[in-house]
Amino acid sequence: MRTSSRDFTLRRARTLDGALAVLRDDPGTVPLAGCTDVYVALQFGQRPGSRYLDLTPLKALRRITERDGNLVIGALATYTDLQRSRLVRSRLPMLVEASRLVGGMQIQNRGTVGGNLANGSPAGDTLPVFAAAEAQVVLQSTQGERRVPFTSFYTGYRASVRRPDELITAVEVPAVDARQWFRKVGTRAAQAISKVVFAGVRASTPRLALGSVGPTVVRLSRTERVLGSGGSLETAIDELKLEISPIDDLRSTADYRREVAANLVREFWARTA
Amino acid sequence: MLGSRAGLETTPAGVRILVANTEIGQGTRTMLAQIVADGLGIPYEQVEIAQPDTSVVPDSGPTVASRTCMVVGGLLEKCARRMRERIGHTSPAEYHARQGRLHVEEQYAAPEGRRWSDETYRGDAYATYAWGCDVAEVELDPVTHETRVTKFTAVQEFGRPIHPAMARGQIEGASAQGMGWALLEHVVMRDGQMANAQLTNYVIPTTLDTPPMDVVMLENPYAGGPFGAKGVGEMPIDGPAPAVVNALRHAGLDVRSIPATPEALLSTPRLRSVNGASDAAQEDGAR
Amino acid sequence: MRTRFTLNGEPRELETHPMRRLLDVLREDCGLTGTKEGCGEGECGACTVLVDGEPVVSCLVPVAQAEGCELLTIEGLGGDHPLQRSMMTEVGAQCGICTPGVVLAAKALVDAPRKPTLARVREALAGNLCRCTGYEAIHRAVLAAHAERHAK
Ligand SMILES: Cc1cc2nc3c(=O)[nH]c(=O)nc-3n(C[C@H](O)[C@H](O)[C@H](O)COP(=O)(O)OP(=O)(O)OC[C@H]3O[C@@H](n4cnc5c(N)ncnc54)[C@H](O)[C@@H]3O)c2cc1C
Ligand code: FES
Ligand code: FES
């Protein structure tokens, strides 16, 4: 590891209240879950912080349950947990598909939903799923709990409304009563960071979201409006191209992302018809 | 390279191979020990290999160019046969106990009719070559422009495999690398440095990217090589990318460079006619 | 910080910085160098060990998170697991850097009674990069080991 751990401190959370108190008293503290983002950053010589708080002893945050018609996914649920969960399989198959395509088995065994959301990479594979499913992010601090609609959670590139004294404790997903479709484009079939990632729900007003085509995950509200009001697919695609702002980077090109994003919307529309 | 030498000496347990070639997983040690064991007619377990340190081994030339088996292995086969003549019917270990250490060494000489100059590095560097033919079957995804090799067949003739399972592994491994090169492995240079020198962004194939492979090893023993063998080190990496590119051309894409990433294929012109093998001819005619 | 875990069946207790990588603790403090570092960034799987039976990449695990867990490294297999033998006979290892991780990642498939399909083998090993073999010999080794392990 390129960053030495010597001058770091680590505390292990014993209770949720205790963890929240640590964050209140020292908001610079960096939470640790599966460490599949944090330890990569450390390996690359970055320093996400110097004081860390291990959340993994908080087993209650790993649960996946149903409450008031919502699917409630604890922040510490891993990709393997999601694939094994009967609830997720029956209610949100597109999340199972997304989880199956994360990294490889070793990453799926450790990486968590909360980590994916908090890390906030625009390539995070669960983000379009939650955006299309109209999920809410549950945030908790010593001052209490609040729910933020997923579509207003991110404020910019890897920036969100989460305050440093707050933890993500869960994601709540309302019932999805329409066909779901997920597609990740990473070129390599496993261990791939998405070049473009799509999730869609074919409700009467369809809900579409794309990752890796802008600084944050994009919910395609204008494209949705065209499709929902009976406009033609190609008019919708014209809107789509105005809604996304892909860039060239080491992994792919803006042109490619734009073209494939449009193709994915066409494919979604054909497959869920 | 003409001066390459290889040696063999007796030990209390059998024999020790003295060569400068290095083992990096390709199976050199196993293969050379097999050649010596068979050349001497002794069990494989009685053959050991000295560390490839030229303070104790002769200069056998570099571990390059698929020459280790054919050239160095060939020298060792001669060493083994010469040692057998010297020790008669006893085992090397018995000979060693009775007469002390016996050391033999052979130096490479170009076969009849081959010309090569170590001064100018010109001439026929190799007395013979191995041959191969690769067939790639690909699927192109019209939504993502991604190519997937669905089946790969490699037919290779390299004299005779000394260790068939390892030779097969060499072919399969090189084929996977060749397919990765053809489709995924893109070196991005910025300011004179490789900008994607990490496994997260320099993308090599995973188990889900490599296709099932059929490997056929045709035997055509070469008189100048050990037990009929030529080299199989590098050849299998040469064919896969051209095979994949030809398959893409067969699918109508005028691919002229690798890696044929989906980003590159997006702007690859279509061939004017797509007609299997006659493609190139028609294209030339159209120009 | 004191950390306790079970390592290859033996209880262990050691004093170390809680954020050190499990990989380094295994190699440096426990002297078990069978676990390899290929990349240190979670990509290659060479550092795979089993934590409570599940394969994880030990380069991304702070040792504190191994507290109270059952760890299995390649040394814990003892050299005589059917998969270790079939990796030899099928030549599933060339340079060998990926091999300990591959064996641990595939162990569950070999041990489970149900015969894995080739697709299942590929999926299970998708987090283990191998630059040498092209994976074919590894797949053959896993299937052969399963057949041997469950031969009547
Ligand atoms: C080889 C490899 C392959 C990968 N492949 C993919 C992929 O295909 N798709 C993909 O989307 N991602 C991928 N990732 C990235 C990573 O695995 C995911 O983002 C994962 O979900 C992160 O979860 P974690 O628990 O490991 O996060 P950690 O590394 O523990 O934390 C990540 C960030 O989230 C914060 N955090 C964690 N939990 C909480 C919480 N409950 N409340 C507040 N903040 C919190 C941490 O402070 C940190 O800033 C890959 C990573 C690797 C190493
Ligand atoms: S060293 Fe851990 S995954 Fe490569
Ligand atoms: S044997 Fe060399 S990486 Fe797998």
Side-chain angles (χ1 to χ4, degrees):
Chain A
M1 191 159 83
R2 258 171 247 172
T3 311
S4 161
S5 59
R6 234 169 304 144
D7 45 342
F8 292 161
T9 60
L10 175 72
R11 283 198 250 187
R12 301 203 82 201
R14 296 297 161 192
T15 63
L16 179 56
D17 287 342
L20 296 175
V22 169
L23 291 180
R24 175 196 58 205
D25 298 339
D26 182 2
T29 305
V30 180
L32 289 182
C35 298
T36 58
D37 280 316
V38 172
Y39 266 58
V40 173
L42 294 175
Q43 168 70 9
F44 289 164
Q46 296 155 13
R47 231 169 178 283
S50 56
R51 294 175 308 285
Y52 294 85
L53 175 67
D54 180 14
L55 304 178
T56 56
L58 304 177
K59 299 282 180 245
L61 292 190
R62 196 168 162 177
R63 268 187 229 131
I64 300 171
T65 55
E66 208 165 10
R67 201 187 318 133
D68 305 331
N70 285 329
L71 171 64
V72 182
I73 301 170
L76 291 181
T78 64
Y79 297 107
T80 302
D81 295 340
L82 294 173
Q83 292 170 75
R84 287 183 186 156
S85 159
R86 200 179 34 80
L87 273 179
V88 180
R89 286 211 302 264
S90 66
R91 296 190 43 148
L92 208 55
M94 62 180 168
L95 182 59
V96 175
E97 182 67 5
S99 305
R100 211 173 58 77
L101 296 173
V102 165
M105 181 171 55
Q106 292 90 332
I107 299 297
Q108 293 170 17
N109 282 339
R110 298 266 310 164
T112 66
V113 169
N116 206 225
L117 300 195
N119 188 56
S121 157
D125 284 330
T126 67
L127 276 48
V129 170
F130 291 127
E134 310 237 88
Q136 308 231 32
V137 182
V138 184
L139 295 167
Q140 208 170 322
S141 70
T142 51
Q143 294 164 34
E145 198 177 69
R146 62 178 177 133
R147 285 175 171 66
V148 179
F150 196 81
T151 42
S152 25
F153 183 67
Y154 294 106
T155 54
Y157 178 67
R158 302 186 74 160
S160 76
V161 300
R162 181 179 80 85
R163 296 192 313 262
D165 68 327
E166 283 177 318
L167 282 179
I168 298 175
T169 51
V171 193
E172 288 181 354
V173 188
V176 178
D177 291 325
R179 290 195 65 181
Q180 309 171 17
W181 193 71
F182 174 87
R183 179 80 194 263
K184 167 174 177 166
V185 181
T187 303
R188 174 157 72 175
Q191 296 289 64
I193 302 298
S194 289
K195 294 173 171 178
V196 187
V197 50
F198 175 95
V201 174
R202 185 74 181 259
S204 55
T205 301
R207 304 195 296 267
L208 285 65
L210 277 168
S212 261
V213 293
T216 69
V217 59
V218 186
R219 187 55 200 273
L220 304 169
S221 42
R222 286 156 61 178
T223 311
E224 290 171 3
R225 229 169 291 134
V226 175
L227 290 172
S229 61
S232 80
L233 182 57
E234 289 314 308
T235 317
I237 300 287
D238 291 340
E239 279 300 324
L240 162 77
K241 291 192 172 160
L242 301 173
E243 286 194 280
I244 60 177
S245 48
I247 57 168
D248 287 348
D249 63 14
L250 280 178
R251 295 181 200 276
S252 189
T253 64
D255 285 346
Y256 178 77
R257 291 178 157 123
R258 211 172 288 113
E259 164 87 11
V260 171
N263 287 349
L264 290 177
V265 169
R266 291 190 187 99
E267 189 72 3
F268 161 68
W269 204 242
R271 280 175 185 258
T272 55
Chain B
M1 292 214 292
L2 277 183
S4 292
R5 289 174 294 136
L8 194 60
E9 63 184 6
T10 56
T11 67
V15 294
R16 181 182 297 127
I17 291 174
L18 304 165
V19 298
N21 304 91
T22 46
E23 169 68 61
I24 50 169
Q26 78 279 46
T28 293
R29 292 166 62 95
T30 308
M31 171 269 293
L32 293 180
Q34 281 182 284
I35 290 171
V36 166
D38 287 357
L40 273 165
I42 61 173
Y44 175 81
E45 290 68 30
Q46 292 178 11
V47 184
E48 63 176 287
I49 304 190
Q51 282 300 316
D53 173 342
T54 47
S55 72
V56 290
V57 301
D59 181 356
S60 322
T63 310
V64 299
S66 314
R67 65 184 283 281
T68 303
C69 177
M70 185 170 80
V71 173
V72 182
L75 293 177
L76 282 175
E77 189 194 10
K78 287 195 189 129
C79 287
R81 296 201 193 283
R82 237 179 68 208
M83 183 176 274
R84 177 48 77 200
E85 280 167 24
R86 297 272 297 274
I87 66 178
H89 291 296
T90 57
S91 77
E94 282 163 7
Y95 181 92
H96 189 87
R98 257 185 270 135
Q99 317 270 336
R101 172 177 173 270
L102 170 67
H103 174 255
V104 296
E105 193 169 296
E106 287 283 343
Q107 175 159 354
Y108 183 74
E112 278 299 293
R114 298 282 155 178
R115 265 178 299 177
W116 171 257
S117 157
D118 261 355
E119 271 81 66
T120 61
Y121 253 59
R122 279 164 193 268
D124 304 319
Y126 289 93
T128 186
Y129 296 91
W131 305 95
C133 173
D134 290 327
V135 180
E137 293 166 49
V138 307
E139 249 172 42
L140 194 59
D141 185 332
V143 175
T144 65
H145 304 272
E146 290 169 327
T147 308
R148 173 159 300 284
V149 184
T150 54
K151 176 103 191 81
F152 188 83
T153 308
V155 182
Q156 317 250 317
E157 184 271 291
F158 45 99
R160 224 184 124 201
I162 298 291
H163 190 303
M166 284 192 334
R168 173 182 298 268
Q170 185 70 19
I171 295 168
E172 290 166 345
S175 299
Q177 286 192 18
M179 286 183 264
W181 188 16
L183 294 171
L184 297 171
E185 299 181 28
H186 191 202
V187 175
V188 182
M189 297 299 286
R190 276 188 196 155
D191 301 326
Q193 286 196 345
M194 183 168 169
N196 59 337
Q198 282 136 2
L199 281 177
T200 174
N201 43 35
Y202 183 79
V203 172
I204 70 170
T206 70
T207 48
L208 294 175
D209 298 283
T210 53
M213 300 185 208
D214 246 350
V215 171
V216 182
M217 293 180 273
L218 293 179
E219 292 204 13
N220 179 24
Y222 165 57
F227 298 98
K230 299 191 279 190
V232 72
E234 292 158 306
M235 176 178 64
I237 204 174
D238 297 334
V244 168
V245 167
N246 281 339
L248 286 169
R249 293 180 68 82
H250 191 198
L253 289 166
D254 192 4
V255 177
R256 304 252 169 177
S257 61
I258 54 168
T261 60
E263 287 79 4
L265 293 183
L266 181 65
S267 52
T268 298
R270 294 198 68 81
L271 286 165
R272 248 161 288 178
S273 73
V274 181
N275 220 342
S278 62
D279 234 335
Q282 295 199 2
E283 200 199 331
D284 285 343
R287 259 201 224 111
Chain C
M1 200 191 256
R2 280 202 100 53
T3 307
R4 267 168 301 238
F5 45 72
T6 308
L7 178 57
N8 300 331
E10 302 278 320
R12 287 295 276 254
E13 185 168 343
L14 39 92
E15 182 68 40
T16 183
H17 193 290
M19 283 189 66
R20 283 181 66 218
R21 305 183 300 179
L22 178 58
L23 170 68
D24 297 327
V25 172
L26 290 171
R27 290 179 56 89
E28 293 164 12
D29 301 25
C30 305
L32 298 181
T33 52
T35 306
K36 304 298 180 203
E37 174 164 14
C39 67
E41 53 188 71
E43 288 286 330
C44 73
C47 66
T48 298
V49 301
L50 303 189
V51 175
D52 292 337
E54 305 260 18
V56 306
V57 277
S58 61
C59 67
L60 301 184
V61 177
V63 66
Q65 291 187 350
E67 171 76 31
C69 296
E70 300 252 349
L71 309 184
L72 185 73
T73 70
I74 192 68
E75 290 86 353
L77 277 194
D80 204 33
H81 189 274
L83 182 53
Q84 289 176 298
R85 285 199 301 276
S86 67
M87 285 289 277
M88 301 264 286
T89 49
E90 298 292 335
V91 198
Q94 291 185 27
C95 79
I97 283 286
C98 70
T99 313
V102 163
V103 168
L104 288 171
K107 177 177 178 292
L109 285 185
V110 172
D111 292 344
R114 188 147 162 229
K115 182 175 182 231
T117 59
L118 180 57
R120 187 66 201 102
V121 176
R122 286 181 186 273
E123 242 173 62
L125 289 174
N128 294 80
L129 296 178
C130 175
R131 191 52 157 167
C132 302
T133 64
Y135 305 111
E136 294 284 280
I138 293 174
H139 300 157
R140 287 194 288 272
V142 173
L143 295 172
H146 186 275
E148 189 206 311
R149 176 98 165 63
H150 301 282
K152 298 226 170 66

